Amino acid sequence: AAAASPSSAAPAAAPLQARVATVKRETKETQVSVTVNLDGTGKCVAKTPVHFLNHMLDQISSHGLIDLEVHATGDTWIDDHHTVEDIALAFGGALSQALGDRKGIHRFGEFSAPLDEALTHVVLDLSGRPYLGWDLPIPTERIGTFDTQMVEHFFQSFVNTSGTTLHIRGLAGRNSHHIVECTFKAFARALRRATEYDERRAGMVASSKGVLTQQ
């Protein structure tokens, strides 16, 4: 059979819009800049004074295949609270901007991640409605110099600006570092699934209301 002529070939699909956004947050307490690329390769540049958080941001990037660039300074001579909070607020805002109208995405994501004896289950919904359901016992107050109370506060700040419903449940674990790290890994994998395009959705919003934004 003769090959189809160029004029009869199916039209090429329109290229997807780049899902990249930058949010800068500057206060008397911190100076933060976060750039996300939701369709990246897992490259992370995290330059903040909170070194344990840098390690966790690398987990989000690597396991979520999200390119992250985070630069931050802050009043860490007081404690890490303001810096961690503002990084999370900027990250959530950048994610929301990169998602745009959220058309065509899966919207929901779920993952359970182990790390040796630790196991955490994460379920999330990019619904436009911020909510954090939290049940993650962490047995020590600090991991190195990092205050483990800031793990919950990081995710609370993230959901507030990203419009995410997020449930985190600790299923097992004794080592605080393992518990927190597998939580960030599970979160990253769930987020990757939720932000990926659903081919069957064909560009439509995954909601009977037709809207997934906070506006």
Side-chain angles (χ1 to χ4, degrees):
S5 65
S7 60
S8 62
L16 295 173
Q17 184 176 356
R19 299 191 297 171
V20 180
T22 298
V23 167
K24 295 183 179 181
R25 181 178 175 85
E26 296 189 6
T27 71
K28 292 180 179 179
E29 300 165 340
T30 67
Q31 297 79 43
V32 174
S33 174
V34 176
T35 299
V36 302
N37 176 1
L38 298 182
D39 303 301
T41 59
K43 180 181 178 182
C44 181
V45 177
K47 295 183 178 181
T48 89
V50 187
H51 300 298
F52 183 77
L53 181 61
N54 294 345
H55 180 41
M56 294 303 103
L57 293 172
D58 192 40
Q59 305 310 309
I60 294 175
S61 183
S62 177
H63 293 279
L65 290 182
I66 296 171
D67 288 349
L68 266 178
E69 185 170 351
V70 181
H71 298 272
T73 58
D75 56 0
T76 52
W77 58 88
I78 298 174
D79 62 14
D80 295 339
H81 186 107
H82 298 140
T83 304
V84 173
E85 177 181 57
D86 285 359
I87 289 170
L89 290 170
F91 173 45
L95 177 82
S96 184
Q97 288 186 24
L99 285 170
D101 56 18
R102 311 190 184 199
K103 289 181 178 178
I105 62 171
H106 281 282
R107 172 181 169 178
F108 297 97
E110 176 182 13
F111 203 84
S112 294
L115 179 55
D116 296 346
E117 89 297 343
L119 176 64
T120 300
H121 184 59
V122 173
V123 182
L124 61 83
D125 175 10
L126 298 173
S127 60
R129 298 186 300 275
Y131 178 81
L132 177 65
W134 183 263
D135 185 6
L136 185 76
I138 304 174
T140 63
E141 293 182 357
R142 294 192 177 275
I143 301 172
T145 61
F146 183 79
D147 182 353
T148 54
Q149 287 185 340
M150 295 311 301
V151 180
E152 180 179 2
H153 194 58
F154 176 91
F155 287 109
Q156 183 64 67
S157 300
F158 165 80
V159 302
N160 287 346
T161 53
S162 65
T164 301
T165 297
L166 174 63
H167 288 264
I168 296 176
R169 297 288 181 268
L171 303 181
R174 296 182 303 276
N175 181 280
S176 295
H177 189 132
H178 291 173
I179 291 167
V180 175
E181 184 168 338
C182 73
T183 298
F184 274 83
K185 288 177 176 177
F187 167 73
R189 287 283 182 155
L191 186 62
R192 173 181 169 184
R193 175 62 175 176
T195 58
E196 285 179 338
Y197 285 113
D198 182 350
E199 292 183 0
R200 293 184 61 197
R201 188 66 58 185
M204 295 185 297
V205 174
S207 170
S208 58
K209 295 188 299 184
V211 173
L212 284 177
T213 55
Q214 293 169 293
Q215 285 72 34

